[in-house]
Amino acid sequence: MALVLILAAVLWGIGMAMGAPIRVRIVMLAVLWAAVVLLHLVLPDGNALRTATGGQAAPWLIFGALAGLVLLYREGLRWLRRRAVPTAAPAKPQGTFSEVELNRYARHIVLREVGGKGQKRLKNAKVLVIGAGGLGSPALLYLAAAGVGTIGVIDDDEVDNSNLQRQVIHPDAAIGMPKVFSAQKAMEAQNPFVQVRPYHRRLTPELASEMFAEYDLILDGTDNFTTRYLVNEAAVSSGKPLISGALSQWEGQISVFEPAQSGPCYQCVFPQAPAAGLAPSCAEAGVIGPLPGVIGTMMAVEAIKLITGAGAPLRGEMLIYDALWGETRKIALKKRSDCPVCGETA
Ligand code: ZN
């Protein structure tokens, strides 16, 4: 009996040392068991080998049957485990974050001025960006990355080869594609946890008042005065804060207009469009590529500040960045009582 047990232990040990899987080792023991049983069945009674291995076949047969039952039970359990369907994760309640989102926004959440509360405000916020061009490119990407829950973008233009020197949201492969769809693709690729609403059309006064009502905050990154005045009027009449950025060659400027809170509106500062030729567009005058990146990113920062309540937004102030000389300055902006949009007579 002891002989068989020692042999079994040695076989098991060799199997382990060779790294044989447990299944193979069990088969080895089964072969040993079968050999012992065979000895008892084949050899005559009183044979030395039979005496050394217990003398009778019956105990071995009972042992084998028990071992077989144990193995069968083990296999049965495994089969049941494989069949068990993993229970679906419970649906997460709205307005809360998944583990992946918490991890994604961890660097925001540790900021005292943002925290979990601010991140939740970002998720619930709806921001509309006018123009998916130079200023819109970084603004849209950073708003999406920051986890602004709903981002609308309106632009009637298509991606042109000459845009790509600065409009980094659009890849070369998107040339000819409507900018809003190219921007949507980039934002969704950056952060699948935000909802993007593209509007491939030109902004009209009717559309503006209808659309602005659905959003908490407007970012204006357009390059023409007609649209700027239109956006300002709609923002003032709907009481929505307007973050406005502008560029020319090497200089950029940014301001937050919210006359409902305090300070002027866009038209207070720029009462009328400059005469044709005095304010040339980017196409006419040129613009250094990273400049819209700087100002557009600042627009996203101001948006996050307004949504979370962090710090002091550039309300009633204009920040001017002169890239050529590496200088920034801030000027105070005044409300005009005779402003046709936000003034007393408006
Ligand atoms: Zn005004």
Side-chain angles (χ1 to χ4, degrees):
M1 196 80 174
L3 179 76
V4 180
L5 287 179
I6 290 167
L7 210 59
V10 168
L11 275 177
W12 192 264
I14 292 173
M16 267 177 82
M18 286 172 63
I22 202 154
R23 232 163 231 277
V24 174
R25 280 179 272 158
I26 288 171
V27 169
M28 279 159 67
L29 290 191
V31 169
L32 178 68
W33 171 82
V36 172
V37 171
L38 205 67
L39 277 180
H40 285 282
L41 295 180
V42 174
L43 294 177
D45 218 8
N47 180 285
L49 257 177
R50 276 194 70 173
T51 316
T53 54
Q56 281 181 315
W60 287 109
L61 285 171
I62 293 168
F63 174 74
L66 285 174
L69 276 175
V70 169
L71 287 176
L72 210 67
Y73 176 70
R74 217 175 87 118
E75 281 304 307
L77 275 185
R78 277 193 179 186
W79 180 76
L80 280 176
R81 246 182 246 138
R82 271 199 302 268
R83 266 185 47 137
V85 181
T87 46
K92 68 186 175 77
Q94 256 204 331
T96 60
F97 293 104
S98 66
E99 282 296 313
V100 185
E101 285 174 285
L102 284 176
N103 179 261
R104 179 174 289 239
Y105 306 128
R107 305 299 185 277
H108 268 170
I109 294 167
V110 295
L111 284 179
R112 189 165 48 88
E113 296 81 1
V114 180
K117 208 170 142 192
Q119 194 62 47
K120 207 169 169 181
R121 283 185 182 172
L122 288 171
K123 188 180 177 124
N124 294 329
K126 292 182 177 141
V127 175
L128 178 65
V129 178
I130 322 286
L135 292 167
S137 286
L140 288 165
L141 279 176
Y142 274 111
L143 290 174
V148 171
T150 308
I151 305 167
V153 52
I154 179 164
D155 197 310
D156 68 339
D157 211 3
E158 280 84 40
V159 180
D160 185 80
N161 182 48
S162 65
N163 299 147
L164 302 185
Q165 153 259 18
R166 63 198 180 283
Q167 300 184 12
V168 293
I169 202 168
H170 309 299
D172 185 73
I175 290 174
M177 190 187 199
K179 285 183 178 178
V180 288
F181 299 133
S182 162
Q184 177 188 24
K185 214 172 152 192
M187 284 188 278
E188 286 172 351
Q190 214 290 334
N191 190 351
F193 300 103
V194 300
Q195 204 208 334
V196 180
R197 297 181 186 166
Y199 307 94
H200 182 220
R201 64 192 83 156
R202 178 170 282 275
L203 194 69
T204 61
E206 302 73 44
L207 196 58
S209 61
E210 193 183 305
M211 282 175 79
F212 287 18
E214 288 177 39
Y215 289 88
D216 306 316
L217 185 56
I218 316 298
L219 267 70
D220 184 6
T222 51
D223 57 357
N224 69 83
F225 282 93
T226 317
T227 313
R228 283 176 178 276
Y229 287 122
L230 189 166
V231 168
N232 179 59
E233 276 194 54
V236 171
S237 64
S238 62
K240 302 292 162 81
L242 169 66
I243 302 172
S244 185
L247 309 165
S248 69
Q249 298 185 327
W250 292 86
E251 198 178 87
Q253 48 183 254
I254 170 175
S255 186
V256 177
F257 298 109
E258 198 179 8
Q261 290 287 326
S262 66
C265 78
Y266 180 82
Q267 195 144 353
C268 292
V269 182
F270 303 98
Q272 52 194 3
L278 280 181
S281 70
C282 286
E284 294 158 339
V287 61
I288 193 70
L291 183 63
V294 175
I295 303 298
T297 303
M298 281 183 171
M299 290 168 77
V301 173
E302 290 302 309
I304 291 172
K305 281 163 64 187
L306 282 174
I307 295 164
T308 60
L314 285 167
R315 222 182 258 134
E317 289 178 313
M318 180 176 281
L319 189 143
I320 299 165
Y321 170 57
D322 183 342
L324 201 52
W325 302 103
E327 285 173 351
T328 54
R329 60 186 190 280
K330 253 182 9 176
I331 55 169
L333 304 177
K334 283 214 172 66
K335 192 181 177 85
R336 290 168 63 112
S337 57
D338 62 343
C339 172
V341 177
C342 75
E344 285 146 17
T345 51

